[in-house]
Amino acid sequence: LERTGGMLVEDIIDLGLVSHFLGADPGAEDVVSAASHDGACTAFASGEVVVLMRREAPTSPTLLRAPGEHASAVVCLTVPAAAAVVAVVGYRSGALAVWSSDGSRLLRLHLHNSPLVQLAAQTLGGCDADGGTLLCLWAGGALCHVCAATLGEALTSRLASGGEGRGGRV
């Protein structure tokens, strides 16, 4: 493919495809979206559905469903040690879930009872030991930060085992 302004034609997201899977317009107010720092993935969430689009498979989105939950924040992270991308989703219930690009739920934590309203990844290279942090902000001002190196280690082991495992929630 030919490069146009530094972007490959295949790097453009098919918003019609996203709209189809979400059942909503990707620009609507209740749709939250995020892209990883390296452009490896983009996620769109509305209600209990999250659509994860990966650069290497732009026409094969991964659908993530959390019945009974309502997504209110999302961020995409790269886990270099596992050569994987994940979607971190915050919900109105206050829960936080991490999903792999194959649709497996890796973690689910319920850290606060108010809606999780914002997620931000402050990393320089994904989930590695360079001092990055995942910030979580709940309604009412509660703030939590997770060391990217610690999160990366937990996700790498869960990606290797294929999901949450027999222990269920963390």
Side-chain angles (χ1 to χ4, degrees):
L1 294 172
E2 206 174 309
R3 285 202 175 265
T4 307
M7 179 181 275
L8 289 174
V9 174
E10 69 182 7
D11 290 338
I12 298 171
I13 296 166
D14 184 343
L15 292 180
L17 188 63
V18 171
S19 178
H20 168 75
F21 285 111
L22 283 181
D25 177 2
E29 275 186 37
D30 67 334
V31 175
V32 292
S33 62
S36 63
H37 74 282
D38 58 2
C41 76
T42 305
F44 296 86
S46 180
E48 59 186 40
V49 178
V50 177
V51 177
L52 184 63
M53 308 287 287
R54 292 166 292 136
R55 181 175 46 215
E56 73 270 5
T59 59
S60 300
T62 301
L63 298 179
L64 315 170
R65 292 187 188 276
E69 293 281 13
H70 189 102
S72 54
V74 65
V75 67
C76 294
L77 299 175
T78 300
V79 185
V85 294
V86 297
V88 181
V89 184
Y91 296 100
R92 287 185 183 170
S93 67
L96 175 77
V98 181
W99 299 84
S100 71
S101 60
D102 70 2
S104 301
R105 189 172 71 190
L106 303 172
L107 292 173
R108 184 183 186 282
L109 305 168
H110 197 114
L111 302 172
H112 202 277
N113 287 327
S114 59
L116 205 160
V117 295
Q118 185 68 47
L119 292 168
Q122 295 187 338
T123 62
L124 298 175
C127 291
D128 57 12
D130 65 2
T133 302
L134 173 65
L135 298 172
C136 308
L137 176 65
W138 284 267
L143 179 67
C144 169
H145 66 92
V146 180
C147 172
T150 304
L151 180 61
E153 289 172 18
L155 295 179
T156 299
S157 68
R158 289 183 183 245
L159 282 162
S161 68
E164 284 182 316
R166 296 194 309 144
R169 295 182 182 182
V170 171

